[in-house]
């Protein structure tokens, strides 16, 4: 089982010094990956409901909260690290031109020597869709096509063509080339049945969010069936989950239920091991605390928790 860290890129912690501290610490301590969240515009008044109510992050979607842009973050992180993988968790693909995004990610993959991962989502905020000029009703179709467009451009060694509903080109070659032969792996985010069907058809991995071990087991069984029906080997799809974690020296009142993994080292080991038994291969840990305490928590995890897993 591998472990990733969500980078501090939202709100006051989203500053260069904090970002570099956490990214270089993750690289130094042997964590598998670091991950960047993404939003592009926030409304004065939001009517849309977040897809992940357990995450308790509703305040992060209020106007006035700053979000660092993921492509920029990934470039900075690639420049100061050597081995840790760098991914988005998640990027709403319908917001972006897939040809331009393919070029940006190919360059990141080249400069990071193959350490780039695209965590793909479909988006959820009505107000944000309106702002970027994309109908929310098209989000699923646009996401599917975007993945196909990017993979076509990344893998082609000669001018290639694509004729889709939203993207159409003839005999074009992507000028920016990825380090990996077929481009960055694409992990698909979401807990719904529609998301699982997308993972089964198109995903190199599944990014589950705030699901508990028993829910992972049930969803993974469904995903395996869907993947087989899609003509693919379920073993080729990596299972990941993102959970918030609070160490025993930073317990917060609102973390007293199952929303976050917390407790003594023994209790944290037990809960994480339940995910391992459920088939999770990568756990992305959200350490929503002051930046200095993120690094302290990572050190505690390595010393007291991960060595026992």
């Amino acid at each position: 089982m591998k472990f990733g860290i969500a980078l501090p890129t939202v709100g006051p912690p989203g500053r260069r010094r904090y970002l570099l501290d956490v990214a270089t610490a993750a690289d130094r301590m042997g964590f598998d990956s670091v991950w960047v969240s993404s939003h592009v515009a926030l409304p004065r008044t939001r009517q849309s409901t977040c897809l992940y109510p357990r995450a308790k992050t509703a305040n992060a979607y209020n106007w006035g909260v700053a979000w660092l842009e993921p492509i920029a973050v990934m470039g900075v992180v690639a420049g100061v690290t050597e081995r840790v993988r760098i991914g988005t968790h998640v990027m709403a693909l319908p917001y972006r031109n897939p040809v331009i995004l393919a070029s940006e990610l190919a360059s990141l993959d080249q400069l990071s020597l193959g350490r780039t991962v695209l965590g793909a989502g479909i988006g959820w905020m009505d107000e944000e869709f309106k702002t970027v000029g994309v109908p929310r009703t098209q989000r699923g179709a646009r996401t599917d096509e975007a993945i196909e467009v990017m993979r076509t451009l990344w893998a082609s060694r000669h001018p290639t063509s694509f004729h889709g509903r939203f993207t159409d080109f003839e005999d074009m070659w992507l000028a920016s080339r990825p380090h990996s032969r077929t481009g960055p792996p694409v992990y698909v985010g979401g807990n719904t049945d529609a998301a699982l069907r997308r993972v089964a058809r198109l995903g190199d991995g599944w990014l589950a969010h705030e699901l508990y071990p028993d829910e992972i087991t049930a969803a993974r069984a469904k995903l395996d069936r869907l993947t087989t029906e899609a003509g693919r080997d379920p073993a080729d799809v990596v299972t990941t989950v993102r959970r918030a974690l609070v160490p025993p020296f930073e317990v917060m009142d609102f973390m007293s239920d199952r929303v976050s993994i917390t407790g003594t080292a023994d209790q944290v080991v037990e809960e994480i091991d339940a995910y391992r038994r459920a088939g999770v291969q990568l756990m992305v840990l959200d350490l929503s605390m002051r930046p200095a305490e993120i690094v302290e928590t990572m050190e505690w995890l390595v010393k007291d928790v991960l060595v026992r897993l």
Side-chain angles (χ1 to χ4, degrees), residues 242-255:
R242 181 169 177 169
R243 286 292 312 275
L245 181 142
V246 178
F249 48 83
E250 187 65 24
V251 174
M252 303 175 189
D253 290 342
F254 68 89
M255 297 296 186

Side-chain angles (χ1 to χ4, degrees), residues 99-111 153-154 156 173-179:
V99 178
I100 294 174
L101 182 58
S103 178
E104 293 170 335
L105 291 171
S107 288
L108 283 170
D109 195 59
Q110 183 64 241
L111 294 172
L153 291 168
W154 289 332
S156 177
W173 181 74
L174 189 68
S176 182
R177 306 308 306 169
H179 177 82

Side-chain angles (χ1 to χ4, degrees), residues 52-111:
Y52 307 107
R54 284 181 187 167
K56 303 297 184 183
T57 55
N59 288 339
Y61 311 124
N62 295 337
W63 75 273
V65 177
W67 291 63
L68 292 177
E69 206 284 327
I71 297 295
V73 169
M74 294 168 79
V76 171
V77 171
V80 299
T81 56
E82 296 294 333
R83 46 153 299 279
V84 71
R85 295 192 301 156
I86 310 161
T88 56
H89 203 309
V90 293
M91 178 183 286
L93 296 193
Y95 295 170
R96 300 171 185 260
N97 180 298
V99 178
I100 294 174
L101 182 58
S103 178
E104 293 170 335
L105 291 171
S107 288
L108 283 170
D109 195 59
Q110 183 64 241
L111 294 172

Side-chain angles (χ1 to χ4, degrees), residues 151-164:
R151 282 187 170 147
T152 297
L153 291 168
W154 289 332
S156 177
R157 298 296 175 265
H158 303 281
T160 188
S161 303
F162 189 96
H163 304 293

Side-chain angles (χ1 to χ4, degrees), residues 12-23:
R15 299 293 184 268
R16 175 184 169 86
R17 65 184 183 276
Y18 304 141
L19 174 69
L20 298 189
D21 282 351
V22 174

Side-chain angles (χ1 to χ4, degrees), residues 30-45:
F31 284 90
D32 168 78
S33 46
V34 291
W35 298 83
V36 189
S37 300
S38 175
H39 273 281
V40 299
L42 303 173
R44 177 183 294 273
T45 303

